Amino acid sequence: MRRTPSRRLSAAALLVASVLTPVAVTPAAAVPSVRAERPDTTDYPRHALGPELSHRLDRAIEEVRREADIPGLVVGLWMPGKGHYVRATGVADTATGQPMRRDVFVRIGSETKTFTVTALLKLVDDGRIGLDDPIAKYVKGVPNGRKITLRHLAEMRSGLFPYTSDPDFVHDLLSDPQRTFTPRQALAYGFKHKNTFAPGKQFEYCNSNLVLLGLVIEKVTGKRLAEVIDKRVLRPAHLHHTVFPDNSEFPEPHPRGYTNQTLSGEVADATDWNPSWAWAAGAMISNLHDLRRWARVVATGTLLSPRTQAERLKMLPTGVPGTSYGLGIFESGGWIGHNGSIPGYETVTVYLPSKRATLVLMLNTDITSQGQEPSSLVARAITEIITPHHVYDRPIPR
């Protein structure tokens, strides 16, 4: 049974990961340095894990791709001591039949949250903010803002109503996918509703939380969020092919992206839709090379102090067995990281500390199959083979 557009947009990172203070009245500008560089084109030997295991992965991935009707996808798997597996399969463009490539850029949806929260935690390390500061200290007009802390926002326990669940927002976005939303305009859709629970009482995935954290970063630094993420996160992590776009810009090469999150429910090409509505919660773009590097950086805390990383990895129950959530990061079957979903694209970037393994998926669709996210189906099929005791098993979206 297909969900309504509002539920698709609000489910975001845990169940899908889709996708304002005076400084932030316009969307952040593009990171200037991408980003004219070409993506890494290193040749990854396809059978580095061995012909037998690679063949099993080939077969499982193709089976899921056909059954879920995924146009194209890129899979990257790295297992120190065992080898790696990198493959692009299917098509990047259903109209022309152009094959999917390994060096494409894709919209990473809610994986953006890992970058935003890392930038926030850098400010914690600097002593410029505290995780238990109330959001009202930085942003005015937040319902119950004196009791909602930055920690509550990062761990998805604020109780704020998700703006992406508001029917007027869904209508306004899907009526004009090229529209530019400012952070405060997006938040206003959620703020007109009552909060759903008291701060800290339960988990509810909510993009409003991350938009507010983006505003905190801008308030404290006096700089645009994209500039802060570039300077404090992307450059130190050596991520040269990751960008916070200005409106609908999209580096080449990139596949076409397909969605049924439309007013009619018909499939549409969402490649050039404006992601400004997702901003700090889901607007960024990256590629396989950078996501591979980022998986380990964010899971191991390379950019943060050990104390702050320990705070980040305090995983709390989500209400879904086997899945817990920390500060802008989750754990599923032992895999730590985040997934992303935005109309037209889905991604998964996770790291398994016990095996030092990295898994990255990039798909050019977000259309569910029998009620399940296509990226979750692919990740489950892969991990059932390569780490049977650590299966990435995303729940069926609610």
Side-chain angles (χ1 to χ4, degrees), residues 48 64 94 98 130 188 199 234 256 289 313 332:
V64 173
T94 59
Q98 178 184 359
L234 301 183
R256 309 306 296 179
H289 176 273
L313 296 182
S332 177

Side-chain angles (χ1 to χ4, degrees), residues 19 24 26-35 105-117 119 163 181-183 210-211 213-215 217-218 223-231 233-234 239-251 274-287 290 342:
V19 103
T26 57
V31 178
S33 58
V34 166
R35 304 198 119 38
F105 290 90
V106 296
R107 301 192 187 279
I108 63 173
S110 282
E111 288 197 37
T112 301
K113 293 174 173 66
T114 60
F115 294 94
T116 298
V117 173
Y163 68 87
F181 289 84
T182 68
L210 267 291
V211 172
L213 293 181
L215 291 180
I217 293 168
E218 293 197 334
K223 298 179 181 179
R224 291 185 174 186
L225 177 62
E227 296 174 6
V228 177
I229 288 178
D230 181 46
K231 181 178 179 180
V233 182
L234 301 183
L239 304 182
H240 304 301
H241 315 293
T242 301
V243 60
F244 201 126
D246 184 9
N247 299 320
S248 58
E249 67 184 63
F250 206 158
N274 188 341
S276 63
W277 63 270
W279 197 52
M284 291 178 71
I285 294 168
S286 193
N287 71 354
D290 276 14
I342 195 166

